[in-house]
Amino acid sequence: MDAPGLGRAGYQPADDDGRAARRWWDGHAEEYLDEHGDDLGVAEFRWCPEGLREDEAGLLGDLDGRRVLEVGAGAAQCTRWLRARGVDAVASDVSAGMLAAARRLDAVAGTTTPLLQADARRLPLADDAVDVVFTAYGAIPFVPDADAVHREVARVLRPGGRWVFAVTHPVRWAFPDDPGERGLTATRSYFDRTPYVEVDDDGAVAYAEYHRTVGDHVRGVTAAGLRLVDVVEPEWPPDNGRTWGGWSPLRGARIPGTAVFVARSEPPGA
Ligand SMILES: C[S@@+](CC[C@H](N)C(=O)[O-])C[C@H]1O[C@@H](n2cnc3c(N)ncnc32)[C@H](O)[C@@H]1O
């Protein structure tokens, strides 16, 4: 993730409970979409910069008659794609700025996507309310307590439901976030969980991204009572010549850039 510098930036402890994310995404929604809007589209469902599309991957399973919730949805491109296919899907995000951007995309598309402003750690939904929850790079990287997201997802999922989340592949944290040659040499320990943090001129955390190892993600999912069924590591397709921040064809040919975790809520008696 590339974020415009707002002061001191680097790997450092963060005095942050995840609230910095809301302010940052409110303030940078338009800038983010100016930079990445062409890649994200208006009503397209891509899991990651590698370009893996839900219509080819089918990671959400059969959605016929299912209720679907996207958390950390940003401008709701994925939910919009699902709804165009008749899926009962709702997009949620903590940032009013990103949801305002979702409304603007709705105006372009001529759609009315159901939007819910909510922190993925505190969803205003009843227990067992939905069949599928997913996010493509939303919420989890931006909170210090991802376990709280997994617990909340487990609560709102009906037994047998599915939780699918895409994050930066944990191995990437050992490398500089650089799409070029420099990004091919590991310079940090994969095991160092120190977050990437930007601090504003007043010393407050303006932006924070949190590193978890593969094992951390697995333990977060299973501690919430969910069963991990797959970890998808999309390969960089030869026809994808795009660069997105630190993701590029050069690096994609050598090291994974995305991990998509697929988990299930255990049905009773399983
Ligand atoms: C990289 S965007 C992902 C959204 C979309 N898939 C995209 O690629 O643009 C990250 C999103 O996560 C949201 N987010 C950050 N922390 C969150 C939280 N605690 N709960 C819900 N959403 C959160 C941000 O507001 C932002 O819209």
Side-chain angles (χ1 to χ4, degrees), residues 1 18 21-22 25 32-33 40 70-75 77-78 92-95 98 118-121 136-139 142-143 244:
M1 169 63 55
R22 180 173 170 178
W25 287 97
Y32 174 76
L33 288 168
L40 291 165
E70 182 176 10
V71 296
Q77 295 90 345
C78 300
S92 69
D93 198 283
V94 76
S95 162
M98 290 303 278
D119 190 314
R121 298 169 295 178
Y137 278 84
F142 308 105
V143 296
W244 171 308

